[in-house]
Amino acid sequence: MKLEKNNLVFRFATEKDAEEILNIYKPYIENTTITFEYEVPTIVEFRERIREILEEYPYIVCVYEGKITGYAYAHKIWSRAAYQWDAELSVYTDENYAGNGIGKKLYKILIEILKLQNVVNIYALITYPNKSSEKLHNYFGFKKVAFFENSGYKFGKWISVTWFEKAISKYPKNPNPIKKVSEIDEAELKQILEL
């Protein structure tokens, strides 16, 4: 479905969005190998995931005519202290609205917010093959840095994955501490959401 891009609204997700966001994610679990999840989470579980991510990182939705059409979020990738300047990104679009540039806009917003949080490296783990996701990451200048052959099993077959990486700032000698998304100035966040 073709969308009027001027009518797209980008905002932070809330726990109240859990059901609508889960409805976008559910077909990816049930019908694709894009995610390695087997079971659709409950609304309660999914609401908790949103809440946990929003404690530290951005979780953004795209709304069109009152309906969420896509979402993206960042999260901590590894737990050790030295990895704190790294984040992993995920993006999903309602299959009925694919091809409208929603994923690109969501990623652009995420990356700009992560820069304000002092994140240095961003990563994406993508099942292989996945041409549309590879195209998205190439568009943003990610580098393919690793390939793991047959590392997941779903729908009766072994699936490979690729790691993509991008530095979104220079590597400072003494990096600034990571800020929680809640510590970013609201006016700056509003400006990014309206990019």
Side-chain angles (χ1 to χ4, degrees), residues 40-55:
V40 176
T42 66
I43 293 294
V44 172
E45 290 172 314
F46 207 70
R47 193 176 295 126
E48 181 64 15
R49 289 184 192 184
I50 293 169
R51 189 193 62 73
E52 284 179 5
I53 289 167
L54 284 170
E55 286 178 2

Side-chain angles (χ1 to χ4, degrees), residues 48-177:
E48 181 64 15
R49 289 184 192 184
I50 293 169
R51 189 193 62 73
E52 284 179 5
I53 289 167
L54 284 170
E55 286 178 2
E56 295 185 50
Y57 291 95
Y59 200 127
I60 308 298
V61 294
C62 174
V63 180
Y64 183 74
E65 295 181 347
K67 176 180 169 40
I68 295 175
T69 57
Y71 69 97
Y73 60 91
H75 62 90
K76 186 181 290 188
I77 189 165
W78 296 295
S79 61
R80 300 284 189 252
Y83 292 123
Q84 66 187 287
W85 292 274
D86 302 333
E88 183 179 1
L89 279 57
S90 294
V91 61
Y92 292 91
T93 303
D94 183 318
E95 56 197 351
N96 297 313
Y97 298 95
N100 281 287
I102 292 169
K104 278 184 184 175
K105 187 70 179 271
L106 285 164
Y107 247 41
K108 183 177 182 179
I109 290 168
L110 272 188
I111 291 168
E112 292 305 312
I113 293 171
L114 291 169
K115 286 177 185 176
L116 294 177
Q117 291 184 262
N118 299 320
V119 168
V120 175
N121 297 305
I122 52 176
Y123 296 88
L125 181 62
I126 301 168
T127 54
Y128 180 85
N130 185 338
K131 287 183 182 178
S132 61
S133 194
E134 284 195 36
K135 185 177 175 185
L136 174 70
H137 290 87
N138 288 333
Y139 173 84
F140 280 100
F142 281 74
K143 294 184 305 188
K144 191 185 296 187
V145 291
F147 179 77
F148 298 98
E149 192 170 7
N150 298 326
S151 56
Y153 183 83
K154 187 175 179 182
F155 298 146
K157 63 182 179 181
W158 288 99
I159 303 138
S160 302
V161 295
T162 52
W163 272 108
F164 283 78
E165 173 189 63
K166 178 183 170 93
I168 58 173
S169 76
K170 295 186 174 154
Y171 293 101
K173 185 169 182 169
N174 296 300
N176 290 321

Side-chain angles (χ1 to χ4, degrees), residues 10-47:
F10 295 87
R11 64 167 173 79
F12 277 86
T14 71
E15 293 175 51
K16 293 177 184 174
D17 296 321
E19 186 171 357
E20 214 173 335
I21 295 170
L22 185 55
N23 285 337
I24 293 171
Y25 185 46
K26 183 179 176 182
Y28 287 94
I29 298 170
E30 294 178 335
N31 306 322
T32 79
T33 58
I34 288 171
T35 175
F36 278 0
E37 279 200 75
Y38 281 16
E39 302 293 327
V40 176
T42 66
I43 293 294
V44 172
E45 290 172 314
F46 207 70
R47 193 176 295 126

